[in-house]
Amino acid sequence: MAVYDTYMVDSIDGDVGQFKVENGQTIGNAFALLNYEDYPNESKEFIDEINSRGQVANEMYKLSRHREQMFASGFEAGMYIARFDENEELISFEFTDGTRKMLGYDGLEDLPNEFDSWVKTLIPEERDVLVKLFWDTVKIHRELPDISHAEYRMMKKDGSIIWVTGAGEFVRRENGSLEIYMGCYREVTAEHEKEEYLHIIEGVGKVFNFSIYIDAKTEKYRFISTNEYVNKVNVCENAFEFLKANVEYSVGAEYKSELLEWFDCSIILKELKEHGTVSKDFYSDMAGEWFKGIFLVGDYDEDGEIAHIIYGCQNINDTKKIEIENQKEILDKYNLLKSVSDIYYSMHEINLVHNTVTAYKSVGDVNRIVNRENGADLMMQRVMRVTAKPQYVKAALEFTDLVTLPERLKDKKAISAEFEGNNLGWFTATFITVETDDAGKPTKVIFTTNSIDEIKRKEENLIQQSNTDELTGAYNRRAYEEAIAEVTQSGIDDDFVYISVDVNGLKVVNDTIGHSAGDELIQGAYTCLNRTIGTYGRVFRTGGDEFVVLANVSGEQLTNALEALDLATERWTGNLVDNLSVSHGAVARREVSDLNIGDIAILADKRMYEAKNLYYNKQGIDRRGQRDAHIALCALYTKILKINITNDSYQIVNMDVSEQNAEKGFSDKISVWLRSFGETGQVHPDDLEEYLTKTNLTYLDDYFSSNKTSLHIFYRRKYDDGFKQVMMELIPANDYRDDDKNLFLYVKNIDA
């Protein structure tokens, strides 16, 4: 039986290997592998031979372990041993204590004897490559020499990285299969850093045409690279004295004093601690060229203090010439802009990348803010808040937002906006593109402001004249159309009110007293409107004796204003006319939330005509033109009925004959007609329930008994080309009484 079949190594830790026999007996430096008592006497000689060979094997193992320990200790190295079976499958992987110590681990539990333990010591970005290399090496070990070398990085327990060099040895069986793959690690981080440092020094010599390496404590130095001008200066031990001697020999007069003062070790160390690198440009009379003197940190000592300094001198003649030309160009540009700025109220150059401002012209509050704020974005916000009137501040801040400006100004030469200022009056703010990036977005812009107050005032006067009625001073029809378009576009406010107003008896005055008297009546109507309801909105003269007021008021304000209007017209008297009366119809948004502005205007006109009829009825006047007004009113509605919900009857004021047929529920009772109209399919099924509920006479009786002034019912009714949206409006008639409820019923097609 082979020795390794009889006993096995339990651990490679410690200075002497220990073995275990099959029955678990531990043996030390001198032992009997087999006991005589366990075997027959005739086997004594055979047992002695086995024990002797076991003792030899133990001594050989002790010697091998001592050699390993001495080797690892002498080189401050660690080892690993990987064992393989007959099929070259890994069966164990072990580390020595030296390996664990080198990697900062404490004992077997901290870094177990496992292949995965080795894997986790590799740095993540190199892990897969090194693991693959290990297995590839095992796979082709027969083609490789017995000893191989490798150098790679490992990660210590604390996460720091070290360089290691390793020698690996293959131990093969007699049949050539791999039995053991063992290796020795040694840390070589310092050698690597030194090599990298040498590369840096070599690179410094190539970058600078003159450079030295300075000891920060002794101020002694050695050359890294030199040039013909430095070689002519007498060498001295102190680096800074040597640099000053170079200045005296070759540097231009205007730079000498500054450099001589700068070449002081304490000054340089302080600047290097703050900035990491410091430099100065100077001109060499000897060379006739520009140079940059640069101090760099060489390395640090164990206490973290700067140990060595590198000084290099770099030729910058070409770039300096370009810089000087650029500075001249910038100066010329600045002077040009200063001249151009005379036509502006303020003018600033803004660098959007660095968020900085250069003022070419800045006055008043703007000047104080520019000098106080560091960032262009903050400066711009403060300027707009101070300059623009409160109602324009929000828009001004949006326009001057430097975050969104690059996108808004992309591929454009300029953008402008107009605002009204507190002191400046109306002014124009403009961004002009100066420089752009590859995407066409501005990186540098000119921001200007310019007063346009005089122009704006003239413009407003012209607009006002074009929008003003010459006779009354009210807004004219053109202004009315613009206002309606604006409401249509922006939406109707919740407190919006449309008031239609008409002067009573104007035609009679024109025909009997004359048009001058009629004009006086129209002027009087505007005066009364403007002083009452006009305080809440705008008064428009839309026709001869027709006015419209667009206002924003609460319900209580509207009631009070209309009462004030009636009182003002009642008290009015003119030079040619003794009295004034107007009829008005008001529609508030809150009572007709589903109507558009056009339908609201129609409803207000209808109410105004009803008020006009009531006025003439009270006056007992059969006025001229009443028929025309009636025709105009009827044209707005497809059906007008006067109904009585007390006795369930109706009168037809206006209605097409085609509506009077059984298919549409026509009946002599209004209750039957309204109900049958829906039940015969004339009302859309989805709207039928609400329609039948609200047109029921009991519902109407209760509704108007609670002093309601109008009821609107919206539904879809059937036409030849399909269902269309209609509105039914019911309002109390002039002769409405609690015991005799007369209502007007209007139906209008409101489908767009």
Side-chain angles (χ1 to χ4, degrees):
M1 180 180 297
V3 172
Y4 57 78
D5 288 333
T6 305
Y7 56 88
M8 65 179 183
V9 176
D10 179 55
S11 172
I12 64 173
D13 295 326
D15 63 334
V16 179
Q18 293 189 347
F19 294 80
K20 287 185 180 179
V21 295
E22 292 176 347
N23 61 7
Q25 179 182 0
T26 302
I27 53 180
N29 292 337
F31 63 91
L33 190 61
L34 301 177
N35 293 325
Y36 291 120
E37 292 81 4
D38 296 336
Y39 299 93
N41 290 333
E42 58 269 22
S43 303
K44 182 176 180 300
E45 184 178 349
F46 180 69
I47 292 171
D48 285 339
E49 180 65 19
I50 291 175
N51 285 342
S52 176
R53 291 186 180 184
Q55 185 66 32
V56 172
N58 189 54
E59 293 297 327
M60 292 176 64
Y61 177 77
K62 286 168 58 181
L63 180 61
S64 173
R65 286 298 292 155
H66 277 299
R67 285 175 177 171
E68 290 176 8
Q69 293 296 334
M70 290 173 64
F71 177 82
S73 176
F75 287 94
E76 297 183 352
M79 296 185 66
Y80 69 85
I81 299 176
R83 290 183 170 82
F84 299 84
D85 61 14
E86 296 285 349
N87 297 319
E88 297 189 346
E89 297 291 335
L90 182 68
I91 57 177
S92 68
F93 193 96
E94 303 175 36
F95 294 105
T96 64
D97 285 341
T99 302
R100 293 185 176 88
K101 182 178 179 182
M102 182 177 66
L103 295 174
Y105 290 93
D106 185 18
L108 188 63
E109 292 184 358
D110 205 12
L111 188 68
N113 284 330
E114 298 174 357
F115 181 75
D116 286 345
S117 296
W118 175 71
V119 172
K120 90 172 182 179
T121 66
L122 306 176
I123 66 173
E125 56 264 34
E126 297 174 2
R127 188 171 290 160
D128 293 342
V129 174
L130 290 174
V131 170
K132 182 177 185 301
L133 179 62
F134 178 90
W135 290 115
D136 288 347
T137 302
V138 170
K139 185 177 181 181
I140 63 170
H141 72 89
R142 290 178 176 83
E143 305 171 19
L144 300 175
D146 291 343
I147 297 177
S148 59
H149 296 272
E151 196 169 277
Y152 55 92
R153 293 184 294 174
M154 297 184 77
M155 185 166 59
K156 299 176 71 172
K157 182 180 179 180
D158 62 6
S160 59
I161 307 298
I162 62 172
W163 278 93
V164 298
T165 183
E169 181 178 2
F170 298 110
V171 179
R172 302 180 180 88
R173 298 182 179 87
E174 292 181 1
N175 63 6
S177 66
L178 182 62
E179 182 177 5
I180 297 173
Y181 183 19
M182 61 187 298
C184 175
Y185 294 124
R186 185 171 69 87
E187 184 180 352
V188 291
T189 304
E191 287 85 343
H192 262 271
E193 290 178 349
K194 182 178 180 181
E195 184 177 341
E196 290 178 2
Y197 168 73
L198 291 175
H199 283 305
I200 292 172
I201 295 298
E202 182 182 352
V204 168
K206 292 179 179 179
V207 171
F208 300 114
N209 57 17
F210 158 55
S211 54
I212 57 176
Y213 188 67
I214 307 170
D215 188 305
K217 291 183 178 179
T218 66
E219 298 186 20
K220 293 183 179 181
Y221 66 98
R222 59 185 176 85
F223 286 100
I224 301 173
S225 60
T226 185
N227 61 35
E228 57 178 307
Y229 306 106
V230 173
N231 291 337
K232 295 178 181 179
V233 177
N234 292 330
V235 177
C236 57
E237 289 188 1
N238 186 281
F240 292 93
E241 293 301 322
F242 177 67
L243 291 174
K244 289 178 180 179
N246 275 273
V247 171
E248 293 287 1
Y249 175 73
S250 63
V251 174
E254 60 183 301
Y255 298 98
K256 274 187 180 181
S257 59
E258 183 179 357
L259 284 175
L260 290 172
E261 184 179 346
W262 187 50
F263 282 146
D264 181 286
C265 189
S266 60
I267 294 175
I268 298 303
L269 286 174
K270 181 181 178 181
E271 292 185 358
L272 287 176
K273 287 178 182 178
E274 293 179 1
H275 308 292
T277 179
V278 289
S279 64
K280 283 189 183 296
D281 297 351
F282 61 89
Y283 184 77
S284 171
D285 286 341
M286 298 297 297
E289 294 181 329
W290 283 92
F291 291 88
K292 182 184 290 291
I294 305 172
F295 283 99
L296 307 167
V297 176
D299 56 16
Y300 296 88
D301 60 21
E302 294 178 354
D303 298 325
E305 297 295 327
I306 297 174
H308 294 91
I309 304 168
I310 296 173
Y311 173 77
C313 185
Q314 188 178 22
N315 188 306
I316 59 168
N317 198 57
D318 292 339
T319 56
K320 193 67 176 181
K321 287 180 178 179
I322 295 173
E323 180 184 329
I324 293 172
E325 287 298 320
N326 287 341
Q327 288 176 348
K328 184 177 181 301
E329 182 180 342
I330 291 171
L331 182 60
D332 291 342
K333 172 186 167 186
Y334 181 83
N335 291 332
L336 175 62
L337 288 173
K338 287 287 284 184
S339 300
V340 173
S341 68
D342 290 340
I343 66 174
Y344 294 106
Y345 179 75
S346 68
M347 183 174 182
H348 298 82
E349 183 179 81
I350 301 174
N351 188 311
L352 297 174
V353 177
H354 301 298
N355 196 30
T356 57
V357 180
T358 301
Y360 296 110
K361 185 178 183 182
S362 186
V363 296
D365 292 335
V366 175
N367 188 46
R368 288 189 290 275
I369 292 170
V370 171
N371 291 333
R372 184 168 56 188
E373 296 292 352
N374 293 324
D377 52 352
L378 295 177
M379 179 276 289
M380 190 63 71
Q381 290 179 20
R382 286 186 58 84
V383 166
M384 287 300 110
R385 290 184 187 280
V386 170
T387 304
K389 282 191 173 181
Q391 63 268 36
Y392 292 99
V393 167
K394 181 180 179 182
L397 290 176
E398 291 176 354
F399 177 74
T400 56
D401 184 355
L402 300 187
V403 175
T404 62
L405 180 63
E407 189 63 39
R408 290 185 285 122
L409 197 51
K410 180 181 179 182
D411 297 325
K412 296 178 182 176
K413 293 182 179 180
I415 57 173
S416 298
E418 295 179 358
F419 308 104
E420 189 173 7
N422 292 312
N423 301 318
L424 185 60
W426 280 96
F427 67 93
T428 300
T430 303
F431 285 106
I432 304 169
T433 300
V434 177
E435 295 177 5
T436 62
D437 59 17
D438 294 338
K441 294 182 179 179
T443 56
K444 187 179 292 184
V445 298
I446 295 292
F447 176 74
T448 67
T449 60
N450 197 22
S451 175
I452 56 169
D453 195 60
E454 184 178 351
I455 298 172
K456 196 72 175 179
R457 299 305 176 193
K458 290 180 179 179
E459 180 182 307
E460 288 178 346
N461 289 335
L462 290 174
I463 293 173
Q464 184 176 358
Q465 290 174 15
S466 66
N467 287 338
T468 302
D469 175 58
E470 187 176 351
L471 175 63
T472 62
Y475 289 101
N476 60 17
R477 183 77 191 187
R478 174 183 174 181
Y480 168 78
E481 298 293 348
E482 291 177 354
I484 292 298
E486 183 180 343
V487 172
T488 302
Q489 183 176 4
S490 61
I492 306 174
D493 295 333
D494 293 338
D495 60 349
F496 175 81
V497 174
Y498 186 107
I499 306 168
S500 179
V501 183
D502 196 271
V503 179
N504 294 326
L506 178 64
K507 183 173 178 55
V508 175
V509 171
N510 282 334
D511 292 344
T512 58
I513 305 177
H515 286 281
S516 295
D519 290 346
E520 184 180 61
L521 208 59
I522 293 171
Q523 290 170 333
Y526 169 70
T527 300
C528 294
L529 281 168
N530 196 45
R531 290 176 179 176
T532 55
I533 189 66
T535 59
Y536 297 103
R538 289 180 287 175
V539 180
F540 303 85
R541 185 187 177 199
T542 56
D545 59 351
E546 299 168 359
F547 294 89
V548 170
V549 182
L550 303 181
N552 291 85
V553 293
S554 65
E556 183 179 356
Q557 288 172 329
L558 176 62
T559 300
N560 294 337
L562 291 177
E563 289 177 356
L565 172 63
D566 291 338
L567 182 60
T569 56
E570 182 180 337
R571 293 176 175 177
W572 180 91
T573 181
N575 295 323
L576 302 176
V577 185
D578 292 333
N579 55 68
L580 168 66
S581 172
V582 298
S583 296
H584 48 76
V587 177
R589 177 60 169 174
R590 52 187 164 269
E591 65 170 308
V592 286
S593 58
D594 295 331
L595 296 186
N596 59 36
I597 187 64
D599 291 329
I600 289 175
I602 292 172
L603 182 56
D605 282 343
K606 181 181 75 66
R607 292 180 179 180
M608 182 272 294
Y609 283 127
E610 290 168 355
K612 206 171 190 67
N613 287 333
L614 180 60
Y615 167 79
Y616 284 114
N617 288 337
K618 287 182 179 180
Q619 297 295 320
I621 301 174
D622 183 12
R623 64 188 180 97
R624 297 182 186 183
Q626 187 172 6
R627 177 61 182 168
D628 294 336
H630 175 75
I631 293 172
L633 182 64
C634 291
L636 299 175
Y637 297 91
T638 60
K639 184 184 297 182
I640 302 176
L641 305 176
K642 186 176 183 181
I643 68 173
N644 188 300
I645 58 177
T646 303
N647 57 28
D648 194 8
S649 62
Y650 64 89
Q651 298 173 2
I652 298 175
V653 179
N654 181 62
M655 186 177 68
D656 194 279
V657 177
S658 63
E659 295 288 311
Q660 303 177 27
N661 59 67
E663 291 180 0
K664 296 179 181 178
F666 184 72
S667 171
D668 59 352
K669 291 185 177 295
I670 188 61
S671 60
V672 176
W673 190 4
L674 291 173
R675 184 181 69 253
S676 299
F677 184 82
E679 292 176 345
T680 55
Q682 301 303 309
V683 177
H684 195 283
D686 293 344
D687 304 330
L688 182 58
E689 182 178 355
E690 181 182 1
Y691 169 84
L692 292 175
T693 298
K694 292 185 176 181
T695 56
N696 182 278
L697 296 194
T698 301
Y699 177 88
L700 295 175
D701 196 323
D702 292 341
Y703 184 87
F704 287 101
S705 293
S706 59
N707 297 320
K708 297 291 176 53
T709 58
S710 64
L711 172 65
H712 297 86
I713 306 172
F714 296 90
Y715 58 93
R716 286 163 289 180
R717 71 156 288 177
K718 186 177 181 181
Y719 288 92
D720 292 338
D721 54 349
F723 288 95
K724 293 183 179 180
Q725 188 79 22
V726 300
M727 176 188 72
M728 178 186 293
E729 181 182 22
L730 296 102
I731 62 173
N734 297 333
D735 54 351
Y736 176 92
R737 298 194 307 273
D738 290 340
D739 59 345
D740 189 24
K741 294 182 171 64
N742 286 307
L743 306 171
F744 279 108
L745 183 152
Y746 303 89
V747 178
K748 180 180 183 297
N749 186 337
I750 61 173
D751 209 338

